[in-house]
Amino acid sequence: MANAHSRRTPHTAVVGLQWGDEGKGKIVDVLTADHDVIARYNGGANAGHTVEVAGERYALHLIPSGILYPDKTCVIGNGVVVDPEKLIEEMDRLRSRGVAIGARNLLISDRAHVVMPYHKEQDAALEEFLADVAEGERGSLAIGTTRRGIGPAYADKVSRSTAIRVGDLLDDSYLRDRLRVICRLRSAELAALGVRTSPLDPDALADRYSALGEQLRGHIVDSTYALHDALQSGRRILFEGANASLLDIDHGTYPYVTSSNCSTLGIPAGTGVPGDRIGRVLGIMKAYSTRVGAGPFPTELTNPTGERIRERGREFGTTTGRPRRCGWLDLVAVRYSAMVCGATGVACTLFDVLTGFDELRICTKYRLADGSVTDRFIPDAHRLEQATALYETLPGWTEALREVDDRRQLPANAERYLAFIEERLNLPIDMVSVGPDRRHTLQAV
Ligand code: GDP
Ligand code: IMO
Ligand code: MG
């Protein structure tokens, strides 16, 4: 039964509308104040979410970005792939900085899948193999993954017979029996790729992963019931997307995507909460575009303007440290993602980075190989590669935005940029972020 408290603020989803690193972590941290439970529904340690509070910078990979508030419950849902070693490292790192993490405020789904060491070996081996085998003019088929074992772990989930779930770590003999079979198969595959000379040792792995399971035991629950219990008692849930809509396995720029449903469409499957419970979908949109790894990027700038954006936005990966590819805002892409996600509003982030450009360009249409023009996105890498971005140009501004604390105080051309986006997306910009810290946030009035 919902109480008055839950009627005021709806259950909310925060989702990236581009290719990741839109500042989801920061916005989740800000919105956590109005919610009780923060749930991750997809991805794994490929995500890197940065939160800055009072000069302290936290990089979160598997733990929801709400963890910095001691009285909130963070949930790692069944749709996430969990690397237990990375998770424990992250918990220890946060604890050493004074963040309280206990069985009460961090819950892990017993049905989340486990990223095993051989998944990371497979991920790296496949990327190396593909990088070495360039296909004609197209170059290599490598995706430029984070090498966190994400693809192979999700592949095992779908394959079923070779998967390990978090709950399995709590049953030593079951785990050991499965690993005996899995290790035989994986050893043969990795040997065939030329990356493993000695076979995997199932007993050593079972010992290690049972011990990790014991360390996590207090946190492991049926998260579907935990979330429904929270709904019943009127607690407000914030769903935190990892990766982003254009990396969604079904709706992104396939095959240059990640292996989960990162759009809001992944929420029901990845948490067990029906989608119609979500009242607010806040799409997070960087004021320009970035992409890490391979794949088409129609507005990419491989020139000094792109470098300037990279430097001003500190566009280097939180997870891998790789320089991010930078370019102008692509509204064809964002309009598509907002449609797929059912966005009810947008948060425009890293807006301060655009200070100091004479003019700013926004892509509103694509020209296709046959000369036709479209305002529809093309969620297929091979066809998107052939599209050329068509731009509209807006005037820039010179004023620094970091200390602005009300949207009405923005320079006229900065406001014009936002109004242009609102008009083209037909959505309100509910939040504007002008710096990495919690306090650098302009909320709709
Ligand atoms: P996420 O993966 O979507 O959570 O985003 P990341 O944390 O990977 O990347 C966003 C980066 O931009 C981080 O370094 C944030 O600290 C930083 N950031 C977030 N919002 C802003 C902003 O409004 N302005 C600036 N300059 N930096 C921001
Ligand atoms: P956050 O949550 C940016 C990209 C990788 C690669 C592709 C597949 O921080 O926004 P994977 O390791 O998932 O198999 O890699 O997806 N990628 C991300 N890029 N931000 C992310 O997460 C990403 N997660 C995956 O760079 O191109
Ligand atoms: Mg990131």
Side-chain angles (χ1 to χ4, degrees), residues 20-26 47-52 57 286 312-315 318 324 348-353 402 433-436 440:
D21 306 322
E22 298 92 348
K24 298 176 289 293
K26 179 207 153 145
H49 298 174
T50 318
V51 177
E52 275 193 42
R57 199 157 196 240
K286 221 175 247 211
R312 286 187 52 86
R314 294 193 298 187
E315 293 293 356
T318 312
R324 295 175 182 148
C348 178
T349 57
L350 290 114
F351 196 39
D352 52 305
V353 174
R402 204 46 81 77
S433 174
V434 291
H440 301 136

Side-chain angles (χ1 to χ4, degrees), residues 169-245:
L169 301 180
L170 304 180
D171 184 338
D172 184 85
S173 82
Y174 180 73
L175 177 67
R176 207 166 287 271
D177 286 349
R178 288 184 79 77
L179 279 172
R180 289 211 173 97
V181 181
I182 295 167
C183 284
R184 278 178 62 182
L185 186 69
R186 284 291 118 83
S187 299
E189 289 169 359
L190 290 165
L193 281 168
V195 291
R196 184 162 261 287
T197 44
S198 60
L200 291 156
D201 177 347
D203 283 312
L205 265 184
D207 290 346
R208 188 167 140 203
Y209 278 76
S210 277
L212 292 166
E214 284 313 315
Q215 276 184 265
L216 295 173
R217 184 181 280 277
H219 301 272
I220 300 173
V221 298
D222 181 325
S223 60
T224 303
Y225 272 112
L227 289 168
H228 279 271
D229 288 345
L231 286 168
Q232 281 293 318
S233 58
R235 299 178 83 205
R236 288 166 296 185
I237 303 180
L238 176 57
F239 297 93
E240 174 177 0
N243 328 122
S245 305

Side-chain angles (χ1 to χ4, degrees), residues 12-17 41-42 239-242 244-245 248 251 261-271 273-275 278 280-283 337-344:
T12 305
V14 164
V15 65
L17 296 181
Y41 58 89
N42 77 298
F239 297 93
E240 174 177 0
S245 305
D248 184 289
H251 302 284
N261 287 117
C262 332
S263 68
T264 47
L265 302 174
I267 296 176
T271 62
V273 175
I278 303 163
R280 181 183 189 198
V281 175
L282 188 63
S337 298
M339 173 183 82
V340 168
C341 289
T344 56

